[in-house]
Amino acid sequence: MEENQYLIPANSKKSMLILGYFTAVDLVVFLMGVAFTLILLFLVQTSTIKLLILVILPGLISALLVLPVPHYHNVMQLLTNFYDYYTKSRMYCWKGWCATSEEEN
């Protein structure tokens, strides 16, 4: 049996995140949404429920974007992966073990 066998814990990348949940971009998106909502709450006279919902909406959207999702970092990363999948080229050229391909000839 070899001596130097290390097991990497499942949450080893979590220590690289701010507060264990946020990247710098996530934190900026969340703080900007909350700050914008707070500014709107101070500036706008919220007399109706519809207006209150509109004022709180930026904070809710930013909070939903940084919400953790299983198998992805957060909703924003999931949406980015969906966008990349449907907009980028999906032609994968597998060259295998051969040294040349048909396109190079």
Side-chain angles (χ1 to χ4, degrees):
M1 184 174 206
E2 292 184 32
E3 291 180 21
N4 293 328
Q5 291 184 359
Y6 297 105
L7 291 176
I8 299 172
N11 61 354
S12 64
K13 295 266 185 188
K14 196 171 186 179
S15 64
M16 296 169 35
L17 301 174
I18 301 167
L19 299 175
Y21 291 103
F22 301 105
T23 62
V25 174
D26 298 336
L27 200 56
V28 167
V29 167
F30 180 66
L31 291 177
M32 293 291 289
V34 170
F36 191 66
T37 297
L38 289 175
I39 291 169
L40 285 176
L41 282 172
F42 286 123
L43 294 178
V44 177
Q45 293 283 332
T46 55
S47 57
T48 64
I49 296 294
K50 289 180 184 178
L51 187 59
L52 181 64
I53 291 172
L54 277 174
V55 167
I56 294 176
L57 203 57
L60 289 176
I61 290 172
S62 65
L64 285 175
L65 285 175
V66 298
L67 186 75
V69 179
H71 307 294
Y72 292 91
H73 174 68
N74 57 25
V75 175
M76 193 163 34
Q77 182 64 47
L78 177 66
L79 293 175
T80 302
N81 290 349
F82 281 156
Y83 177 77
D84 287 344
Y85 179 77
Y86 287 112
T87 58
K88 303 254 168 111
S89 173
R90 285 182 269 163
M91 185 176 144
Y92 304 109
C93 300
W94 183 71
K95 297 192 180 195
W97 297 277
C98 58
T100 61
S101 67
E102 294 174 11
E103 295 175 1
E104 293 175 0
N105 293 336

